[in-house]
Amino acid sequence: MTSKTRVALLQRLDPYWKMEAANVLFVPLFMLWLSDGQLSWIALVPLAATMLLLIIGAIYWRGKVRQLKGTASNFPVLLRGLEVWRRPALVLTQAGSVTCLLGWMVPAWSAGSTDRLVATGCAILSVLEYINYYHRQLQHFDNREDFRRLLAGRGFRRSWLARDLDKLNEMKATLE
């Protein structure tokens, strides 16, 4: 990777961790504002899943930026930690989806229709975030090449985190 390419990549990726970290605060505040502070467990479980995945994203992107700058000597340790959080994030995402459905099936369990809408939004967001981090890159609007790839019908590429975890697991397998 040339120095110019690295600088361009860093300029594109550096805001990601800041955006994800800010959204750990802004998403719950926005949801509380939407619901007039009336959130039940039906919405809180998928909200917790969303927040966890935003935290995972912030940690990953901060580590990735540091790795690209050459200041992240502990990047493999960070990746192992994110791998450990993969299953709890999936379980919490699934639990959030189930509680969201329960809110619609048993409306008396929720704090009202806004609570159920917040739960639905958070459940969808957490599923998309989980896929976006641990499987396929869903975000294509910020990079012209990715967007062209998507429009050309070449599908979604492996996410950055998934590729890094694959490399980590390959290194681990060769050492065993």
Side-chain angles (χ1 to χ4, degrees):
M1 178 181 300
T2 68
S3 154
K4 187 176 180 180
T5 307
R6 182 181 305 275
V7 168
L9 185 59
L10 281 168
Q11 286 177 337
R12 184 167 64 94
L13 297 182
D14 191 50
Y16 286 3
W17 75 268
K18 297 168 188 169
M19 185 173 46
E20 297 293 82
N23 281 328
V24 172
L25 298 174
F26 291 135
V27 169
L29 289 174
F30 180 69
M31 296 306 176
L32 283 168
W33 175 78
L34 277 179
S35 68
D36 288 329
Q38 300 297 311
L39 294 180
S40 72
W41 64 276
I42 294 293
L44 291 175
V45 176
L47 179 58
T50 300
M51 291 172 67
L52 174 60
L53 285 155
L54 289 169
I55 290 167
I56 287 169
I59 291 168
Y60 172 71
W61 286 119
R62 178 69 174 132
K64 188 68 179 174
V65 166
R66 290 180 50 128
Q67 179 200 34
L68 290 169
K69 287 180 177 178
T71 60
S73 60
N74 62 346
F75 192 64
V77 173
L78 181 137
L79 287 176
R80 281 193 287 278
L82 295 176
E83 179 68 23
V84 166
W85 277 99
R86 182 182 192 152
R87 188 168 305 258
L90 177 60
V91 170
L92 191 55
T93 298
Q94 291 170 330
S97 297
V98 168
T99 62
C100 171
L101 290 173
L102 288 172
W104 289 102
M105 293 169 53
V106 187
W109 288 357
S110 74
S113 60
T114 304
D115 184 49
R116 291 189 297 275
L117 290 172
V118 166
T120 302
C122 288
I124 291 168
L125 186 57
S126 66
V127 168
L128 292 174
E129 288 285 1
Y130 183 83
I131 292 167
N132 189 52
Y133 281 116
Y134 286 107
H135 296 286
R136 296 279 170 209
Q137 178 183 330
L138 300 178
Q139 181 176 321
H140 287 80
F141 60 84
D142 67 331
N143 183 297
R144 187 175 297 155
E145 289 177 35
D146 287 343
F147 192 63
R148 281 191 201 136
R149 175 187 168 84
L150 183 65
L151 292 179
R154 290 186 285 167
F156 295 100
R157 70 175 69 217
R158 294 276 291 159
S159 70
W160 286 71
L161 176 57
R163 286 183 272 168
D164 281 340
L165 290 174
D166 288 346
K167 288 178 198 169
L168 181 72
N169 290 328
E170 287 171 13
M171 286 186 345
K172 190 170 124 180
T174 58
L175 294 174
E176 291 177 349

